[in-house]
Amino acid sequence: MRPKLRNLLAINTVKAYPNWLHYLPTVDSTNIYATRLAEDGLAHHGEVVWALDQTQGRGQRGKQWDTRPGENVMMSLIVQPTGALTRSPAHLNMMVAATIARYFEAIGKNWTVHIKWPNDIYVNDKKAVGILIENVFRGMQWTNAVIGIGINVNQTNFNPELTRATSLKAESGKEYDLFEIINDLRSGLLNELIYYKPELFKHTLQQYNQFLYKRGEEVRFTHMPDGTVFTARIIAVSGDGTLILEQEDGMHTYPFGSLQWHL
Amino acid sequence: MEYKQIQELLKAVNKSNISELSIKDGDFEITIKQATAEAPITAIPVAQYQPMPQVAPVAAAPVAAPAPAAPAAPVAEAPAAGGKVIKSPMIGTFYRSSSPDKPPFVGVGDEIKAGDVVCIVEAMKLFNEIESDLGGRIVKVLVDDGTPVEYDQPLFIVE
C-alpha cells in the first residue's frame, strides 16, 4: 500500500507548507472538499484547500472548466461569516471579485482587468478566473463560506472552442509560481475581512462597478427562466448584486444566475 | 494509505474519545492526537483565527510520520517582564527594510516612538509600512526578514 501521493507531491515546489494549507495532488473539487471539512468541523477560518488537479471542477451552474493538472490555481479559502461583510453573500462576492481584480492590476501592469458579472475575471477581454462561493450551514447557523477560486495561470493550450479563455502566462509570457498566487490572494482576502465595516461596502460596490465588464455597452443576453434573447445596455450592479440593464422600455434588474451572456 | 482513508480516520478519531491513535504500515506511519479533551467539533469559536490544531500536518504532508500534534504557527513568545509587543495588523510577508539594500527600519537597542515605521508587511504585492503604536526600546525582533506573518502575530518586543 505505497502511497502514490509521494510521486505526485514531488511536482510541488513548495518546501515548507504553512499550517493553513490543505494541499492535495488531486481532488474531486476543492470546494466540495473544503465544504466537507467545514461540515465535519475540521476547517477553520483562513484555511485553504489547494489541488493540482480536480476531477469534478465546476463553475457557476455546473459549467465545466478546461484545465490541465499542475498548471492552474484551484483553491478554496474557508472563512467564517463574522464581520459585516460576510453576513451578505452578495457583498462577499463583490469583495472577492474586486480584490482579485486589484491583485491582477498589481501583477500585470499592462493588463486590462474586468469583472464580468457576476463573478468572472477577464484579462484583456478573455476569461482568466472563475469564482464560486458556497455556504455551509449547520442547522440554521451559517458557519462557513467557501470561496472557490479557479485561475488559469500557466496553461497556454486551450480547447479551441473556448475562444474567450486565457491565462496569466498567455497574457504576460511569464511563468508563475502557483503557491505565491494562492498565498497572496489568501492574505489579501483575509485582510479585507479583518477590517471590513458596513460603511466600506459603498467603496467595494464602487470598485466592483469600476471593473464591470462591458459597462455602458450593449450586450446580448439570454434570460434563463424563459429563454428569451434580448439586447440591453449594461448600466451597473446594485448593492444587492443584481445587474441593472437599460432596455427599450426602461431599466430592469436581473438577479444572480438569471442571465447568460452572448459574447 | 490513501488520503481519503486518512481523512476518514481523522473524522473517526474526532468523533471518538480516543486521545491518540498510531498506525504503522510498512514504512508509513501516522499518529493522530486530539488537541484537547473537549474535542467535539460542533462549536468553532467564531471570532478568532485558529492556527489548525492537529489536522494540518497530516493534510499537508501525508507521508510525514508521525504527524506532529504541535501547532506549526510560531507561538507568540512571552514578552520579557515589563516588555510590550508590537503586533502585525495584517497577514502578509514581513520585511525589516524598504528594500534589500537598505538598512532595517529598526534593530535591537533602538529607541522608537509611536508613529515610527518599524517594518513592512507585504500582501498582494502591496507594501504596507507598519507604524509602531507604542514607544520604547526594541529588545527583540521576533520574526525573520522575508517570512510570513499572520494577523496579530507579535513582531517586536519593546521595553
Side-chain angles (χ1 to χ4, degrees), chain A residues 143-178:
Chain A
T143 55
N144 292 97
V146 171
I147 303 170
I149 304 170
I151 309 175
N152 291 333
V153 181
N154 293 323
Q155 179 169 349
T156 46
N157 291 310
F158 293 94
N159 180 340
E161 284 167 29
L162 300 172
T163 51
R164 289 241 168 217
T166 190
S167 70
L168 307 190
K169 186 179 175 183
E171 296 306 321
S172 71
K174 282 194 302 191
E175 189 88 13
Y176 293 83
D177 182 320
L178 300 182

Side-chain angles (χ1 to χ4, degrees), chain A residues 102-141:
Chain A
R102 284 205 318 274
Y103 177 58
F104 280 13
E105 285 198 327
I107 62 172
K109 300 280 185 232
N110 307 314
W111 292 350
T112 307
V113 180
H114 284 114
I115 298 170
K116 177 172 159 264
W117 180 84
N119 49 12
D120 291 337
I121 309 282
Y122 272 47
V123 175
N124 298 339
D125 224 29
K126 290 180 174 179
K127 178 173 171 174
V129 181
I131 302 162
L132 180 62
I133 300 180
E134 296 181 287
N135 299 305
V136 180
F137 289 86
R138 193 170 293 140
M140 292 297 287
Q141 205 195 345

Side-chain angles (χ1 to χ4, degrees), chain B residues 39-121:
Chain B
I41 51 181
T42 37
I44 301 168
V46 171
Q48 93 232 52
Y49 170 71
Q50 289 194 327
M52 289 183 80
Q54 76 279 38
V55 186
V58 180
V63 289
V75 176
E77 288 181 39
K84 292 167 289 185
V85 169
I86 303 173
K87 293 176 175 179
S88 179
M90 61 195 299
I91 302 165
T93 305
F94 173 84
Y95 292 106
R96 292 189 56 192
S97 57
S98 57
S99 67
D101 52 342
K102 295 272 167 61
F105 292 108
V106 294
V108 170
D110 288 357
E111 294 287 340
I112 57 160
K113 52 188 192 309
D116 285 355
V117 174
V118 289
C119 65
I120 279 175
V121 175

Side-chain angles (χ1 to χ4, degrees), chain B residues 1 6 9 18 23 28 30 43 49 51 55 62 67 70 72 74 83 92 125 128 133 141-142 146-147 150 155-156:
Chain B
M1 181 168 290
I6 299 175
L9 266 180
I18 302 169
I23 292 174
F28 179 87
I30 186 168
Y49 170 71
V55 186
K125 313 302 176 208
N128 306 281
D133 52 355
V141 183
L142 299 167
T147 56
E150 287 291 324
L155 306 174
F156 302 93

